[in-house]
Amino acid sequence: MRQILNFNTKWAFSKEADSVPEHMPERWYWVNLPHTWNAIDGQDGGNDLYRGTAFYAKELEKSELPEADLYYLELCGANSSASVYVNGRKLASHDGGYSTWRVNITDALKAKNLIVIEVDNSVNDTVYPQHADFTFYGGLYRNVNILAVSSSHFDLDYFGGPGIQVTPEVTGTSANVNIEVFVTNRTDAQQIRYTIKDAEGNVVAGTTCADTAVSFTLENVHLWNGRKDPYLYTAEAVLEENGTDLDNVSARFGCRTFRIDPENGFILNGKEYPLRGVSRHQDRWGIGNALLPEHHEEDMDLICELGATTIRLAHYQHDQYFYDLCDERGMVVWAEIPYISTHMPKGRENTISQMKELIVQNYNHPSIVVWGLSNEITMGGESDEDLLENHRILNDLVHEMDKTRLTTIACLSTCSIDDPYIQIPDVVSYNHYFGWYGGNTSMNGPWFDNFHERHPNIPIGCSEYGCEALNWHTSNPDQGDYTEEYQAYYHEELIKQLYTRKYLWATHVWNMFDFGADSRNEGGENGQNHKGLITFDRKYKKDSFYAYKAWLSEDPFVHICGKRYVDRVEDVTKVTVYSNQPEVELFANGVSLGKQTSPEHFFYFEVPNSDGTTLTAIAGECKDESFLRKVEVFNEDYRLKEKGAILNWFDITAPEGYLSLNDKLEDILKTEGGKALFAAMMEQMAGGQQAASMLNEATMQMLGSFTLLRMISMAGMTGLTVTKEQLLALNEQLNQIKK
């Protein structure tokens, strides 16, 4: 029978080595897996993380292995290209950092062995991803195992798959369950013993035969019903010969039906089941992407506490352990490959291989309902024929490999709703940041209404929306200020617009957690994208987290917003309370400020601000407290200061009635002088063609509400650099132009 040996401990590691060692290195660092070499430099900003080659080496005594005919080395995640060497002999290479792959090492093994894995996350125009707003952590960041198997065994070579594929088809109260297995080196004397067990471990169906594909009918089938009842069966297959078991595989599966309706959204088991949830990246502060099971479990617990019904697992294949958790907790999942941002003409084969791996390895998960073809792939402009052909190939491939699920894409706001590439997948979603990167929050709902009117037969969803918040605070939140208060306001508005449009097939907040993006230098904490509802270390739930909990969770709670905003200058201050209870009463130092009801779950109170005020919110049996203090001067610790910024807002001269770097781009472009100055600046920084593209209507809709200082600061993420002297000179010119 197959045996699986974990191979994670005591690897020698080096970024300095320039070749595969012939002997076990003595002066390399010792690491245990999972491991990434970018856990620090991939999260500190500056876009200077190490992207290159590193080596992992480990000795293996063959006598330590169990008796078996064949031995496979299984790598569950090596980012982003890797090669395996055994005793100096190169056995295999793999491109794509997010999937499982295996190498047959049997013939290369000796009594004593040196196994070396060369891993490379350097720039490469054939392997995705290369351009995206997240850190491409290098390393062996998931498990490495050794599989010991018989010469006859369930397949281990086909795109990292499990060797078993289960397809349930529900009709009425029964389900026809088709099980197909894939066997290597099978003989005529061998048979396969099939068993289906229910969630309690009881055998409900089974047979023994020579067929590699069988069908069973489950009467009165127990459906997998999302968060309400994520019921799982288990299919097992044992390869046997003359009464001896040679190999075994198993897969959990769920029986459910679903469809996506352009008017009524997502339909699960014949009933409307709104998909309202979040997106998730697979990294953490100080750990990178080298997550342990307890990290995945905590993430899932937090997402469930929020009340989400769906997760977009962006922007690549996630750990099998997390897909398993999605099955167990009833999450409806969007799974995708890292075909993102920039279409690479030389990368087509890599999109195909990564898609095959994604589907083959994850086919059995009932949580997955759509396969994502790409994300914001038209960032560089309109689609071209090579991009369109790549998408058509992927779309056809998915439908050939999986007849039970749908395809989708995530489009950037600037992509025309008439672009031919949105006609390719079965359903479409858009990434919109109106109210953060441009426009205002009120634009989101009407945009979707317009799409729905123009394309009534295309199911439309919102695959990304969000805004950044750190520990900055204000009583007058404004777009672009990075305050927790503006993020809370933004999400209140988006919830009211998106959650009341039932035709939206799914909505996914960007993002559940802050995540590493080493090219970002903004918001006062470099190296991160701070759009999360929870901080990167998972220790603090931002107020916006509770706005979603109020709408989505059935667990009673009440939450007073602004707990980190203690010092306030106003005599009467606004305090927001979130609750999923019908009525909230707020007390200030024991005195009631009244009761409120709100169908929107958001309660707004005017609170007298004194030397010290203890606030207590009561909602049914739920209670929450916070504290305010009256101060005469605004606490500057609450105001954004960019760490390592070339210039901060307070360094800039801004004469009254004249422009400065602190003005919004849309206001600067309303003046002839400002428009000419901006165009000249863009031409100098990036060339005339980009300057023209920056001034087009779609881009201005996205960027118009940026201050010019913020826009230039963010341009650093694209490799453009501006000095302090250049900024001061530009500001001096702006100071000569009347508003």
Side-chain angles (χ1 to χ4, degrees):
M1 290 284 282
R2 129 177 355 200
Q3 296 187 58
I4 302 174
L5 290 77
N6 184 269
F7 206 50
N8 282 350
T9 59
K10 201 176 180 180
W11 287 80
F13 168 75
S14 175
K15 289 190 299 184
E16 286 70 40
D18 56 9
S19 62
V20 177
E22 298 180 1
H23 308 285
M24 187 65 186
E26 297 181 356
R27 299 186 180 275
W28 289 11
Y29 296 100
W30 293 108
V31 300
N32 290 326
L33 307 183
H35 172 264
T36 175
W37 62 72
N38 297 125
I40 296 174
D41 68 357
Q43 302 178 347
D44 61 355
N47 200 25
D48 56 354
L49 76 159
Y50 176 74
R51 292 189 65 182
T53 302
F55 295 88
Y56 296 83
K58 182 176 171 67
E59 288 183 316
L60 171 66
E61 299 275 354
K62 189 174 181 181
S63 61
E64 297 175 355
L65 298 175
E67 287 291 328
D69 297 325
L70 300 171
Y71 301 96
Y72 280 79
L73 188 70
E74 179 181 69
L75 299 94
C76 298
N79 200 38
S80 39
S81 298
S83 298
V84 170
Y85 300 81
V86 177
N87 300 319
R89 174 182 164 193
K90 182 176 180 179
L91 300 186
S93 295
H94 180 265
D95 291 325
Y98 303 98
S99 53
T100 295
W101 54 290
R102 306 185 185 103
V103 183
N104 187 336
I105 61 174
T106 311
D107 293 342
L109 290 178
K110 302 176 182 178
K112 187 173 183 177
N113 303 277
L114 176 63
I115 295 179
V116 178
I117 303 175
E118 178 183 9
V119 186
D120 185 2
N121 70 335
S122 59
V123 176
N124 185 323
D125 65 357
T126 63
V127 181
Y128 286 97
Q130 292 299 324
H131 305 282
D133 185 24
F134 60 93
T135 295
F136 308 145
Y137 300 95
L140 291 175
Y141 67 97
R142 292 183 188 150
N143 288 335
V144 173
N145 301 307
I146 291 180
L147 278 59
V149 296
S150 167
S151 58
S152 297
H153 58 274
F154 293 107
D155 183 82
L156 293 169
D157 295 297
Y158 187 70
F159 292 101
I164 181 172
Q165 183 170 293
V166 184
T167 309
E169 299 177 11
V170 177
T171 304
T173 60
S174 65
N176 187 57
V177 180
N178 302 300
I179 303 175
E180 185 174 7
V181 295
F182 309 92
V183 184
T184 300
N185 297 325
R186 184 177 170 218
T187 69
D188 292 340
Q190 295 168 355
Q191 290 189 312
I192 302 164
R193 185 169 73 248
Y194 296 95
T195 306
I196 294 180
K197 296 179 179 179
D198 64 17
E200 289 72 41
N202 303 308
V203 175
V204 295
T207 189
T208 300
C209 61
D211 298 332
T212 57
V214 295
S215 294
F216 300 99
T217 298
L218 301 181
E219 302 292 348
N220 298 313
V221 65
H222 195 147
L223 297 179
W224 186 91
N225 201 28
R227 292 290 306 275
K228 300 174 183 177
D229 186 10
Y231 192 88
L232 295 171
Y233 292 90
T234 301
E236 298 177 352
V238 178
L239 182 66
E240 60 179 30
E241 182 175 357
N242 300 324
T244 300
D245 293 345
L246 302 178
D247 196 15
N248 64 298
V249 289
S250 65
R252 294 190 304 180
F253 66 94
C255 299
R256 83 287 189 267
T257 65
F258 79 89
R259 63 187 178 90
I260 298 177
D261 186 272
E263 285 295 334
N264 298 306
F266 189 77
I267 312 294
L268 179 64
N269 298 324
K271 297 180 180 179
E272 293 181 11
Y273 188 77
L275 296 186
R276 302 293 178 253
V278 297
S279 298
R280 182 227 187 202
H281 265 301
Q282 60 170 20
D283 65 342
R284 286 202 175 206
W285 174 248
I287 298 172
N289 59 352
L291 301 185
L292 299 174
E294 54 262 38
H295 298 135
H296 294 296
E297 291 162 9
E298 184 181 21
D299 282 6
M300 180 57 76
D301 287 343
L302 290 166
I303 294 171
C304 287
E305 180 188 344
L306 183 83
T309 56
T310 179
I311 308 176
R312 180 184 175 205
L313 291 178
H315 287 297
Y316 36 72
Q317 183 171 329
H318 284 233
D319 196 312
Q320 281 296 317
Y321 190 74
F322 200 81
Y323 290 113
D324 288 341
L325 289 175
C326 291
D327 295 341
E328 295 170 8
R329 303 292 187 90
M331 289 293 169
V332 175
V333 169
W334 167 332
E336 64 188 45
I337 61 172
Y339 183 22
I340 181 171
S341 299
T342 304
H343 171 71
M344 301 188 301
K346 296 181 181 179
R348 178 181 294 183
E349 289 305 314
N350 189 246
T351 67
I352 294 171
S353 64
Q354 291 204 51
M355 184 62 79
K356 288 180 178 178
E357 289 172 333
L358 179 69
I359 295 174
V360 170
Q361 293 173 30
N362 296 283
Y363 182 91
N364 297 321
H365 291 291
S367 54
I368 298 174
V369 298
V370 291
W371 303 113
L373 306 182
S374 67
N375 176 76
E376 295 187 350
I377 202 64
T378 59
M379 183 173 285
E382 296 180 357
S383 61
D384 59 30
E385 186 51 43
D386 193 67
L387 181 152
L388 293 172
E389 185 178 8
N390 203 151
H391 279 76
R392 293 187 189 107
I393 289 171
L394 289 175
N395 196 61
D396 291 343
L397 173 68
V398 171
H399 289 135
E400 179 184 346
M401 296 182 67
D402 186 354
K403 303 293 193 294
T404 71
R405 294 181 176 93
L406 303 178
T407 57
T408 190
I409 53 176
C411 302
L412 186 63
S413 277
T414 53
C415 175
S416 168
I417 65 174
D418 297 315
D419 192 298
Y421 110 107
I422 73 162
Q423 306 284 341
I424 295 173
D426 300 310
V427 301
V428 173
S429 280
Y430 262 77
N431 299 348
H432 283 317
Y433 291 95
F434 302 126
W436 180 245
Y437 287 139
N440 57 69
T441 56
S442 66
M443 296 169 61
N444 289 277
W447 188 97
F448 285 105
D449 290 341
N450 178 60
F451 184 102
H452 186 50
E453 182 179 354
R454 292 268 299 276
H455 299 288
N457 297 319
I458 300 179
I460 180 67
C462 189
S463 37
E464 290 185 24
Y465 66 99
C467 85
E468 302 204 33
L470 296 91
N471 194 9
W472 311 116
H473 302 282
T474 180
S475 295
N476 300 293
D478 190 26
Q479 184 173 337
D481 65 11
Y482 295 87
T483 64
E484 191 172 357
E485 287 70 35
Y486 183 79
Q487 188 191 51
Y489 161 78
Y490 170 94
H491 283 292
E492 289 174 23
E493 294 301 307
L494 269 291
I495 287 171
K496 288 184 285 189
Q497 292 179 59
L498 300 184
Y499 284 20
T500 54
R501 287 169 164 82
K502 67 180 295 184
Y503 65 80
L504 291 172
W505 76 267
T507 61
H508 296 95
V509 176
W510 191 260
N511 197 284
M512 181 65 185
F513 308 103
D514 292 345
F515 59 90
D518 194 55
S519 62
R520 280 185 171 256
N521 296 298
E522 57 172 323
E525 189 175 15
N526 296 340
Q528 296 181 37
N529 186 311
H530 298 95
K531 294 187 183 70
L533 305 179
I534 297 178
T535 54
F536 202 6
D537 59 10
R538 277 52 168 181
K539 291 182 179 179
Y540 181 76
K541 300 167 187 172
K542 304 176 191 178
D543 287 335
S544 52
F545 170 92
Y546 295 96
Y548 285 94
K549 185 174 180 178
W551 274 73
L552 298 175
S553 174
E554 296 180 357
D555 296 330
F557 85 100
V558 64
H559 171 78
I560 301 174
C561 297
K563 288 189 175 69
R564 299 195 290 186
Y565 182 28
V566 175
D567 296 337
R568 307 196 186 192
V569 298
E570 56 270 22
D571 295 327
V572 177
T573 189
K574 177 183 173 182
V575 172
T576 301
V577 180
Y578 297 145
S579 179
N580 54 9
Q581 300 303 289
E583 183 178 78
V584 170
E585 184 172 11
L586 187 66
F587 295 85
N589 292 331
V591 177
S592 176
L593 301 179
K595 297 180 179 180
Q596 291 188 20
T597 59
S598 171
E600 296 173 344
H601 309 290
F602 309 143
F603 306 83
Y604 307 107
F605 292 88
E606 297 293 325
V607 177
N609 191 13
S610 61
D611 290 341
T613 303
T614 297
L615 296 177
T616 305
I618 303 292
E621 299 298 318
C622 305
K623 177 181 177 181
D624 193 29
E625 290 189 348
S626 68
F627 180 76
L628 302 177
R629 180 171 49 230
K630 178 74 165 65
V631 295
E632 297 303 318
V633 179
F634 184 80
N635 186 341
E636 289 296 330
D637 288 342
Y638 295 153
R639 201 189 309 270
L640 168 63
K641 300 175 186 65
E642 300 274 11
K643 182 175 68 174
I646 299 174
L647 281 179
N648 265 295
W649 60 271
F650 47 80
D651 297 319
I652 295 166
T653 58
E656 187 173 353
Y658 290 83
L659 296 175
S660 75
L661 291 171
N662 289 334
D663 282 304
K664 292 182 178 179
L665 186 56
E666 60 190 5
D667 293 328
I668 291 173
L669 295 180
K670 289 176 183 176
T671 69
E672 288 301 318
K675 187 173 183 178
L677 187 59
F678 177 75
M681 180 196 76
M682 290 306 302
E683 187 165 2
Q684 182 179 359
M685 288 173 58
Q689 185 174 355
Q690 277 122 319
S693 68
M694 285 293 295
L695 292 170
N696 68 39
E697 183 178 353
T699 304
M700 287 314 307
Q701 188 181 48
M702 286 291 293
L703 301 179
S705 60
F706 280 35
T707 67
L708 186 54
L709 178 65
R710 182 179 173 216
M711 196 213 77
I712 294 173
S713 298
M714 292 188 67
M717 291 187 288
T718 66
L720 300 176
T721 58
V722 182
T723 67
K724 179 177 181 179
E725 290 72 23
Q726 287 173 317
L727 284 175
L728 290 173
L730 178 60
N731 190 67
E732 187 175 348
Q733 290 177 280
L734 287 166
N735 289 168
Q736 307 304 312
I737 302 171
K738 287 186 177 182
K739 291 187 177 181

